Amino acid sequence: LAKTTQPISMDSYEGQEVNITCSHNNIATNDYITWYQQFPSQGPRFIIQGYKTKVTNEVASLFIPADRKSSTLSLPRVSLSDTAVYYCLVGPLEEYGNKLVFGAGTILRVKS
Amino acid sequence: GAVVSQHPSWVICKSGTSVKIECRSLDFQATTMFWYRQFPKQSLMLMATSNEGSKATYEQGVEKDKFLINHASLTLSTLTVTSAHPEDSSFYICSARAFVGGNEKLFFGSGTQLSVL
C-alpha cells in the first residue's frame, strides 16, 4: 500500500490560495489519488480525484507531476468554512475502500 | 454525487447494552460498505469491510463478536456494538463505493457519535 505523508497543519487567511502537498513515493501504477475533507463530527467528503497531470472541479484543483510521487491539492480563495482536515489517499480503484488507509491528514485553519 | 445516510447521529447508552448503527446508500446500490472508527483528534481507522450477502471481513485487532456487521441488502449495512463499554465510545463512520463521474469513489455517512456511560 502506498503510504502518504502530509503536513500536520497549515494556516491561511481568507481569500488566499492554499496548496497542500502529499508525498506518496511508492505509489503503484494502478493507484489513484483522492482527497477528502472532514469537518468535526462529520464523515469525510470527497473533494477531487486524479491519476496524472491536472484535474480541476468546482471546488479545487489537483496537480500531479509526471513521476506521480506527490500531489498537490489547491484550494482557490479559501474562506473560514474551509477550515477542516484534509486527507490524501492513494489506492487502486478496483479495490477501492478496502485498500485505502487514512493518514493523519492536514489540519487547515483559515483565519479572518 | 452518491448519498450515504447513517443513523443515528449520536447515541448514549449504558455499559453492557448493545447499540445498532445503520448505513444506507440512498441512490445507488452498494455491494461493499466499510466501517471506520475515529477517536478524537485522530484519523479514521478501518474496522471492517461489509459484503452484501456474505460475512464481513474484519481488520486485525477488531473483535468480530463485539462488532457485528450485517449487510442483508444492497442498500443497507448495520453495525451492532454488543455489550458496549466506555472504551467503545468513539465516532463511527460508514462508507460505500459508488461509480460517479467516470470513476469509483468512496462516499461517507455523516457518522455516529457513540458515548457509553
Side-chain angles (χ1 to χ4, degrees):
Chain A
L1 296 175
K3 183 186 174 188
T4 59
T5 303
Q6 303 173 233
I8 294 175
S9 65
M10 295 181 68
D11 291 331
S12 181
Y13 288 92
E14 285 189 288
Q16 289 187 332
E17 177 185 78
V18 171
N19 296 310
I20 306 174
T21 297
C22 178
S23 297
H24 27 80
N25 291 319
N26 58 340
I27 188 170
T29 303
N30 58 342
D31 285 346
Y32 276 70
I33 301 156
T34 314
W35 285 79
Y36 287 88
Q37 174 194 56
Q38 185 182 28
F39 297 112
S41 299
Q42 291 187 30
R45 183 176 75 103
F46 172 87
I47 299 176
I48 198 166
Q49 182 181 74
Y51 183 80
K52 61 180 179 180
T53 61
K54 177 183 175 183
V55 180
T56 297
N57 62 21
E58 61 277 6
V59 298
S61 294
L62 178 59
F63 298 93
I64 306 169
D67 65 6
R68 304 202 324 126
K69 292 183 182 300
S70 67
S71 59
T72 299
L73 173 71
S74 181
L75 304 172
R77 296 182 300 281
V78 294
S79 63
L80 294 175
S81 61
D82 292 318
T83 294
V85 180
Y86 292 82
Y87 295 98
C88 161
L89 284 87
V90 175
L93 289 187
E94 63 272 17
E95 298 178 63
Y96 216 63
N98 56 333
K99 291 296 185 182
L100 291 183
V101 176
F102 277 81
T106 297
I107 300 171
L108 172 64
R109 300 186 195 92
V110 180
K111 305 173 184 177
S112 58
Chain B
V3 179
V4 176
S5 176
Q6 187 174 341
H7 291 281
S9 299
W10 57 270
V11 57
I12 302 172
C13 70
K14 292 182 179 180
S15 186
T17 60
S18 295
V19 174
K20 180 185 283 188
I21 303 170
E22 291 190 348
C23 181
R24 295 180 185 271
S25 55
L26 295 188
D27 49 1
F28 66 101
Q29 293 183 331
T31 56
T32 305
M33 291 186 176
F34 305 93
W35 288 95
Y36 299 81
R37 182 166 51 181
Q38 185 175 33
F39 293 107
K41 299 190 186 301
Q42 294 187 24
S43 187
L44 283 76
M45 226 174 44
L46 180 64
M47 297 175 65
T49 301
S50 172
N51 304 298
E52 188 268 334
S54 64
K55 292 182 179 179
T57 305
Y58 291 83
E59 295 299 303
Q60 193 172 7
V62 178
E63 299 176 60
K64 62 180 181 182
D65 294 329
K66 181 166 188 60
F67 299 99
L68 300 179
I69 291 173
N70 184 279
H71 195 155
S73 78
L74 288 172
T75 59
L76 174 63
S77 175
T78 61
L79 169 69
T80 301
V81 183
T82 63
S83 186
H85 287 96
E87 58 265 30
D88 297 322
S89 297
S90 184
F91 191 56
Y92 293 86
I93 310 169
C94 70
S95 71
R97 286 158 41 172
F99 199 84
V100 176
N103 284 324
E104 276 207 325
K105 302 174 178 66
L106 268 188
F107 292 90
F108 290 82
S110 54
T112 298
Q113 182 64 54
L114 170 63
S115 297
V116 184
L117 304 179

